[in-house]
Amino acid sequence: SQTIHQWPATLVQPVGSPLSLECTVEGTSNPNLYWYRQAAGRGLQLLFYSVGIGQISSEVPQNLSASRPQDRQFILSSKKLLLSDSGFYLCAWSRGGNQPQHFGDGTRLSIL
Amino acid sequence: QQQVKQSPQSLIVQKGGIPIINCAYENTAFDYFPWYQQFPGKGPALLIAIRPDVSEKKEGRFTISFNKSAKQFSLHIMDSQPGDSATYFCAAGKGSGTYKYIFGTGTRLKVLA
């Protein structure tokens, strides 16, 4: 069966510090990978998606970037965090096409 | 056109009641409609999904009703239990090449014992 792992589960960072959140998928190959941000009382906002190694598409201009160095690894990064980067970050995978997305348990990021 | 409108924002029912959550969309290119259940501190988990060629789908106590002409779909939870208390999200998916989902804003459900 397929599993998706995200870490860390929680993170507290000072403004201006760098960020690296990691997501890995097991049990499948060549998945589509997604990063979302979830704000309280709002839906899930798609940040980045990837259909293959090194292929990243950004949905919204922001202070974040994403990379996919390996087939089942997806990384969310920032060089300098802003207060507005606080939130709950979710990674998801799917087989592509009209197949369901499956989510990790997220990272709660707090910026001080 | 890209939005999925979800209502109500919150819902409280007694145990055994049938909460109903509604979603509406505009873009007829959407071709897959999943529902997700999310508990606090966890990621959303796929609950049930439907494609537009079907008007109803049941899985256990969960039922999706789909009205293609009205561009609406809804989730019904039969015999609701306190353990069903969670936030529920609808979504609509589309895409050729890269498939993407648009999510509703969520419904916080509380089932009273």
Side-chain angles (χ1 to χ4, degrees):
Chain A
S1 64
Q2 300 82 25
T3 56
I4 179 168
H5 302 280
Q6 277 189 252
W7 67 93
T10 59
L11 188 60
V12 181
Q13 292 284 91
V15 170
S17 63
L19 173 74
S20 181
L21 302 181
E22 190 163 340
C23 170
T24 59
V25 180
E26 296 177 358
T28 188
S29 59
N30 197 31
N32 284 5
L33 296 173
Y34 305 82
W35 278 111
Y36 289 88
R37 178 165 55 206
Q38 183 176 24
R42 300 175 69 176
L44 283 69
Q45 180 188 33
L46 180 62
L47 302 176
F48 301 95
Y49 62 90
S50 171
V51 299
I53 296 174
Q55 300 179 58
I56 308 295
S57 296
S58 174
E59 282 294 291
V60 291
Q62 57 202 316
N63 185 42
L64 302 169
S65 62
S67 62
R68 185 171 177 173
Q70 299 181 45
D71 181 44
R72 290 170 290 176
Q73 183 185 30
F74 205 22
I75 297 172
L76 184 68
S77 304
S78 174
K79 292 182 179 178
K80 284 186 177 182
L81 286 167
L82 306 172
L83 283 173
S84 57
D85 292 323
S86 293
F88 191 48
Y89 289 85
L90 289 157
C91 180
W93 76 272
S94 77
R95 288 197 172 91
N98 57 357
Q99 298 296 314
Q101 288 188 346
H102 302 277
F103 288 84
D105 276 339
T107 294
R108 175 74 60 191
L109 175 64
S110 299
I111 310 300
L112 303 179
Chain B
Q1 274 232 330
Q2 288 291 82
Q3 282 187 322
V4 176
K5 296 181 180 179
Q6 183 172 347
S7 63
Q9 191 173 20
S10 62
L11 190 54
I12 300 175
V13 300
Q14 295 288 338
K15 177 182 174 181
I18 306 175
I20 301 173
I21 304 170
N22 301 297
C23 285
Y25 63 96
E26 287 295 324
N27 193 332
T28 56
F30 289 128
D31 63 1
Y32 188 65
F33 302 88
W35 284 90
Y36 288 85
Q37 180 188 56
Q38 186 178 29
F39 293 105
K42 296 292 186 180
L46 180 66
L47 197 58
I48 186 173
I50 198 167
R51 290 186 167 82
D53 54 344
V54 177
S55 61
E56 185 176 276
K57 183 174 181 180
K58 292 182 180 180
E59 286 188 7
R61 295 185 293 107
F62 300 94
T63 299
I64 298 179
S65 297
F66 187 83
N67 186 328
K68 188 173 181 178
S69 60
K71 291 185 280 187
Q72 295 175 349
F73 58 110
S74 59
L75 176 70
H76 297 62
I77 305 175
M78 305 301 177
D79 187 28
S80 59
Q81 302 295 313
D84 296 329
S85 298
T87 300
Y88 292 81
F89 291 94
C90 64
K94 70 178 182 71
S96 56
T98 302
Y99 198 84
K100 292 186 281 187
Y101 288 94
I102 305 297
F103 285 82
T105 50
T107 295
R108 184 173 291 184
L109 171 66
K110 185 167 186 176
V111 181
L112 302 176

